[in-house]
């Protein structure tokens, strides 16, 4: 190590690291040479100025209270510099203007204390929008999946990034790339769905949008988190290495290689006995050596400490810190704990200084790339003038909500009209509680609710009020009855709901989730469930209203799919809205009225039973139904990809450009789709691949391409998928990813179980090993509508 001396400077006297005209690498090297061991370690730590426990109830992170008494003061934490400032905006109710000044104050202290004046990176949560008071709350990630529109997700992320950048935030802890494997897991709402390709396409576009705004995106949770035993949060993960490679890791590889993401966050859960926070094979060999990741790895909150306290693979905090850093961790969040002793560990020979330098170089690179070391750096430029819930944001939030609502069933009762239903009973808890539209990582449910606030912090119109607005000036009237609450066992309100239904021409029954954290909600982090029954006494409410004989439109506002097999066949229509955000009330009302032609498709299946099923469509033959093998039928009530609208479409002529291709060739699959109705609408064209015979067991089918297209009445489109042979690749018996010669089946249609078109092609030649190459990860799509051609906003 080189001891500090006179800092190298330019002819003007400016230190090299402060000169934006110099190459980033040169600036980083010059600054790194000047840092002491303690200053190096300081760049890898963080601090969370959390609210007093008496001000807030519950925690925003797992086991937060367990770490409340042992943390140091902010002054002590920044004595040798600081890597990250944790959630200056998102920890308590604070206005945008006050948040900017709060962050400026913290940065002034960091810079003033740092011998070389190095600011900290400010990070925040941003999955459903910037998680701060008054910011737009977009639909939950599971609703992005339902929209099947990557470009729309990218636009949303760019707006989120613009808002965060304007107030001085540099890094967002989003998106979530976990693939749903068990619907009982509380964090299903934070995922994009159960298919790795859908997850990868949409989250990669989120990464692009956020980083186009100048805010670093962070992939969560690397890796295996959603495959925990029994769907329990933080439970062990027992999947095999093949499922890890071919399902769990696929979206991460896409976001790293295609999205060029700047940060990755580890998963809490241990995978086959190895915690990711201390796994060099995952954090270094795979992520960096194989995929070429160049950003920083940041720990999930207290994950490094958990190596000692929860996983028991470290003897003490220092050992945990050394193991994690050596594995490839760069920054400890949300506070410096185990990394506090890194300098001493180097001096005592327990840690190589080169490993410390490796992480520091990555952090300094990002700080310089973000402009933090440039002269005149200001942590906030917009101040109180920024509008975090602008009209443009709200328009986009409404469009996303409208495109994500899924119409599962309709016997003709929808859309509602004054001729068919003048008296409508609107029944159920989610009709009047707009918090049900928001995910657990919304500011409303994540922070505001812990401060005893009953409001939402932003303007949100309930479903019943939105319906009243939607039909204003007409003859239709609406009467609301709560019936039951989300989890309250009191059923005394069911009688009023039944009376309202009996007097109505139609009943709109709204049931679902109210998100929270660690058991405070029916959905969200730490809110896992034993089965897929509707929460609380809501199923009893549905049964009571159905018993009246009044036609029922069942509306689900949920973060996960729930079993509907007990009453689906008695409902006139079923609408699924996956936590549609602040404009969700208007979106649901628009679908019911017909103003919105629903185009959402299921990113997860809807189960028939409350249990006894594998959960997702991505399963081999033995995971499906086989008569005489088991008395349990795992087939879903509504499959992945399903959804209908007020338009109808026909599928014709799946045409392949070739019947044979080489192991590195491409086959084009063209599908003709026609709007056969009298109303313009959108269709999600889906392409699935099957591998009938392979050296390992393969899924019955897997999504390999999709495109959301808009067609006028009578209009046709030719949708051409360019499928490279790499898209057939899988991890073989030798644990190498290969393209194996043989026959493959392509099917196209509107859902994973409705695939009217089929054709086959053969991959010829020897087995192709693609383990060490940057293989093709996407299926590009071209859409030719009428006489004009355009590139689809899909993959």
């Amino acid at each position: 190590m080189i001891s500090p001396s006179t800092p190298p400077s330019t002819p003007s006297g400016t230190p090299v690291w402060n000169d934006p005209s110099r190459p980033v690498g040169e600036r980083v090297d010059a600054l790194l040479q000047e840092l002491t061991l303690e200053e190096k370690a300081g760049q890898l730590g963080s601090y969370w100025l959390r609210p007093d426990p008496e001000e807030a109830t519950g925690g925003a992170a797992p086991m937060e209270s367990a770490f409340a008494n042992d943390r140091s003061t902010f002054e002590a934490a920044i004595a040798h510099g600081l890597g990250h400032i944790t959630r200056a905006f998102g920890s308590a109710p604070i206005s945008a203007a006050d948040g900017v000044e709060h962050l400026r104050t913290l940065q002034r202290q960091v810079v003033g204390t740092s011998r070389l004046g190095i600011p900290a990176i400010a990070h925040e949560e941003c999955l459903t929008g910037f998680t701060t008071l008054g910011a737009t709350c977009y639909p939950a990630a599971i609703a992005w999946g339902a929209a099947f529109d990557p470009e729309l997700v990218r636009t949303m992320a760019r707006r989120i990034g613009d808002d965060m950048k304007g107030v001085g935030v540099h890094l967002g802890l989003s998106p979530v790339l976990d693939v749903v494997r068990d619907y009982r897991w509380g964090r299903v709402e934070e995922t994009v769905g159960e298919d790795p390709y859908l997850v990868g396409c949409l989250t990669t576009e989120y990464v692009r949008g956020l980083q186009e705004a100048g805010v670093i995106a962070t992939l969560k949770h690397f890796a295996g988190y959603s495959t925990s035993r029994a769907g329990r949060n933080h439970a062990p993960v027992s999947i095999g290495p093949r499922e890890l490679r071919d399902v769990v890791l696929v979206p991460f590889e896409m976001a790293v290689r295609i999205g060029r993401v700047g940060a990755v966050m580890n998963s809490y859960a241990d995978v086959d006995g190895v915690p990711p926070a201390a796994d060099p094979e995952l954090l270094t060999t795979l992520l960096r050596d194989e995929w070429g990741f160049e950003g920083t790895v940041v720990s999930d909150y207290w994950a490094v400490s958990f190596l000692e306290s929860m996983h028991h693979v470290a003897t003490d905090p220092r050992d945990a810190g050394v193991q994690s850093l050596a594995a490839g961790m760069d920054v400890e969040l949300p506070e410096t704990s185990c990394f506090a002793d890194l300098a001493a560990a180097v001096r005592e020979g327990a840690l190589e200084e080169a490993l410390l330098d490796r992480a520091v170089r990555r952090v300094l690179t990002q700080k310089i790339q973000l402009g933090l070391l440039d002269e005149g750096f200001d942590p906030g430029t917009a101040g109180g003038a920024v509008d975090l819930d602008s009209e443009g944001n709200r328009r986009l939030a409404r469009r996303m909500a409208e495109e994500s609502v899924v119409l599962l069933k309709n016997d003709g009762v929808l859309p509602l009209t004054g001729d068919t239903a003048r008296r409508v009973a609107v029944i159920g808890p989610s009709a009047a509680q707009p918090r049900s539209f928001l995910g657990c990582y919304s500011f409303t449910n994540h922070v505001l609710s812990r401060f005893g606030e009953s409001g939402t912090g932003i303007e949100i119109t309930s479903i019943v009020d939105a319906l009243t607005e939607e039909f204003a000036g007409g003859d239709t009237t609406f009467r609301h009855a709560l019936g039951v609450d989300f989890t309250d066992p009191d059923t005394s309100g069911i009688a009023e709901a039944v009376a309202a239904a009996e007097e109505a021409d139609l009943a709109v029954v709204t049931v679902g989730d109210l998100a929270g954290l660690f058991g405070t909600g029916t959905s969200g982090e730490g809110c896992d469930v034993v089965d897929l029954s509707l929460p609380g006494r809501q199923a009893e409410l549905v049964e009571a209203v159905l018993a009246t004989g009044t036609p029922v439109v069942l509306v689900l506002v949920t973060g996960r799919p729930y079993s509907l097999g007990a009453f689906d066949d008695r409902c006139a229509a079923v609408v699924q809205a996956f936590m549609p955000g602040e404009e969700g009330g208007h979106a649901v009302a628009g679908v019911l009225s017909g103003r919105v032609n629903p185009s959402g498709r299921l990113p997860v299946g809807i189960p028939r039973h409350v249990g006894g099923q594998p959960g997702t469509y991505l399963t081999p033959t033995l995971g499906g139904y086989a008569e005489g093998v088991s008395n349990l039928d795992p087939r879903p009530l509504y499959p992945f990809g399903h959804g209908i609208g007020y338009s109808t479409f026909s599928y014709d002529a799946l045409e392949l450009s070739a019947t044979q291709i080489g192991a590195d060739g491409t086959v084009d699959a063209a599908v003709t789709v026609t709007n056969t109705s009298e109303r313009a609408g959108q269709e999600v064209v889906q392409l699935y691949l099957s591998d009938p015979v392979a050296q390992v067991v393969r899924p019955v089918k897997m999504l390999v391409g999709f495109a959301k297209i808009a067609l006028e009445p009578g209009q046709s489109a030719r949708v051409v998928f360019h499928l490279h042979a790499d898209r057939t690749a899988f991890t073989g018996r030798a644990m190498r990813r290969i393209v194996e010669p043989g026959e493959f089946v392509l099917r196209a249609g509107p859902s994973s179980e409705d695939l009217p078109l089929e054709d086959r092609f053969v991959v010829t030649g020897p087995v192709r090993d693609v383990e060490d190459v940057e293989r093709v990860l996407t299926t590009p799509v071209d859409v030719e509508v009428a006489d004009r051609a355009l590139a689809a906003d899909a993959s």
Side-chain angles (χ1 to χ4, degrees), residues 317-336:
R318 177 188 289 192
D319 183 29
V322 169
Q323 283 194 43
S324 189
L325 186 80
M329 189 71 70
D330 298 315
V331 181
E332 182 182 17
L333 301 181
E335 299 166 341
T336 309

Side-chain angles (χ1 to χ4, degrees), residues 189-428:
E189 63 168 75
E190 298 179 54
T191 75
V192 172
E194 66 184 45
D195 180 84
Y197 186 59
L198 177 66
V199 174
C201 287
L202 271 63
T203 54
T204 296
E205 292 309 304
Y206 182 101
V207 168
R208 284 172 160 168
L210 199 72
Q211 295 191 164
E212 283 168 354
V215 174
I216 296 171
T218 307
L219 307 185
K220 298 161 61 171
H221 304 85
F222 192 61
Y225 189 28
S226 62
T227 59
S228 57
R229 292 179 189 169
R232 291 181 59 249
N233 197 37
H234 287 215
V237 171
S238 302
I239 62 173
R242 189 168 286 105
E243 182 179 355
L244 181 69
R245 288 166 177 249
D246 292 349
V247 177
V248 172
L249 293 177
V250 169
F252 290 95
E253 185 175 4
M254 292 175 68
V256 169
R257 284 186 160 169
I258 301 172
R260 312 308 300 176
V261 72
V264 171
M265 175 180 279
N266 74 284
S267 161
Y268 284 127
D270 55 80
V271 181
D272 195 25
V274 181
D279 187 355
E281 290 297 316
L282 191 66
L283 301 186
T284 298
T285 303
L286 178 67
L287 183 61
R288 296 189 184 276
D289 298 343
E290 294 185 23
W291 293 354
F293 176 67
E294 297 180 346
T296 56
V297 177
V298 300
S299 79
D300 206 339
Y301 285 13
W302 292 297
V304 180
S305 295
F306 287 167
L307 295 176
E308 176 204 9
S309 62
M310 302 294 287
H311 299 294
H312 303 295
V313 297
T315 56
D316 53 34
R318 177 188 289 192
D319 183 29
V322 169
Q323 283 194 43
S324 189
L325 186 80
M329 189 71 70
D330 298 315
V331 181
E332 182 182 17
L333 301 181
E335 299 166 341
T336 309
S337 176
C338 302
F339 278 15
D341 289 332
L342 292 179
V346 171
R347 286 198 175 91
E348 295 170 14
L351 176 68
E352 295 180 26
E353 186 172 0
L355 292 176
L356 180 65
D357 287 352
R358 180 181 71 176
V360 176
R361 179 173 281 105
R362 294 166 183 163
V363 173
L364 294 179
T365 296
Q366 286 194 332
K367 289 189 174 185
I368 288 174
Q369 289 173 336
L370 288 165
L372 272 62
L373 273 296
D374 294 351
E375 187 176 356
F377 163 71
D378 184 345
T381 57
V386 66
D387 182 359
L388 298 179
D389 192 27
S390 66
E391 284 301 313
N393 284 6
R394 295 194 73 96
R395 283 194 299 272
L396 179 60
R398 181 177 293 200
R399 182 187 167 197
M400 291 195 69
E402 291 175 348
E403 292 211 16
S404 70
V405 176
V406 186
L407 180 58
L408 298 177
K409 172 185 178 179
N410 182 23
D411 68 1
V413 69
L414 296 179
L416 299 177
T417 67
D419 295 333
T420 58
R422 292 196 174 188
R423 297 170 300 168
V424 178
V426 184
I427 296 166

Side-chain angles (χ1 to χ4, degrees), residues 338-534:
C338 302
F339 278 15
D341 289 332
L342 292 179
V346 171
R347 286 198 175 91
E348 295 170 14
L351 176 68
E352 295 180 26
E353 186 172 0
L355 292 176
L356 180 65
D357 287 352
R358 180 181 71 176
V360 176
R361 179 173 281 105
R362 294 166 183 163
V363 173
L364 294 179
T365 296
Q366 286 194 332
K367 289 189 174 185
I368 288 174
Q369 289 173 336
L370 288 165
L372 272 62
L373 273 296
D374 294 351
E375 187 176 356
F377 163 71
D378 184 345
T381 57
V386 66
D387 182 359
L388 298 179
D389 192 27
S390 66
E391 284 301 313
N393 284 6
R394 295 194 73 96
R395 283 194 299 272
L396 179 60
R398 181 177 293 200
R399 182 187 167 197
M400 291 195 69
E402 291 175 348
E403 292 211 16
S404 70
V405 176
V406 186
L407 180 58
L408 298 177
K409 172 185 178 179
N410 182 23
D411 68 1
V413 69
L414 296 179
L416 299 177
T417 67
D419 295 333
T420 58
R422 292 196 174 188
R423 297 170 300 168
V424 178
V426 184
I427 296 166
S430 52
Q433 175 50 281
R435 278 183 57 201
S436 66
F437 303 162
L438 313 180
C440 78
Y441 268 76
S442 65
F443 186 82
T444 301
N445 291 328
H446 198 74
V447 180
L448 199 61
S449 62
R450 297 188 297 111
F451 284 80
E453 299 285 347
S454 58
T456 57
I458 47 178
E459 181 183 342
I460 308 180
T461 302
S462 69
I463 290 176
V464 66
D465 288 342
L467 281 169
T468 301
E469 292 179 23
E470 192 80 24
F471 287 85
D475 296 329
T476 304
T477 60
F478 298 92
R479 173 185 173 185
H480 176 249
L482 176 66
V484 298
D485 209 340
F486 294 95
T487 56
D488 193 324
D490 182 10
T491 59
S492 61
I494 291 181
E496 180 189 0
V498 167
E502 289 175 335
E503 297 173 2
D505 301 315
L506 181 137
V508 175
V509 181
T510 66
V511 295
D513 283 315
L514 186 61
L517 292 166
F518 312 115
T520 62
T522 64
S523 173
E525 185 174 1
C527 298
D528 314 310
V529 294
V530 295
D531 62 35
L532 298 173
S533 305
L534 287 173

Side-chain angles (χ1 to χ4, degrees), residues 762-773:
V762 174
V763 173
T764 62
V767 172
R768 176 170 175 249
D769 190 319
V770 295
E771 186 66 31
D772 299 321
V773 302

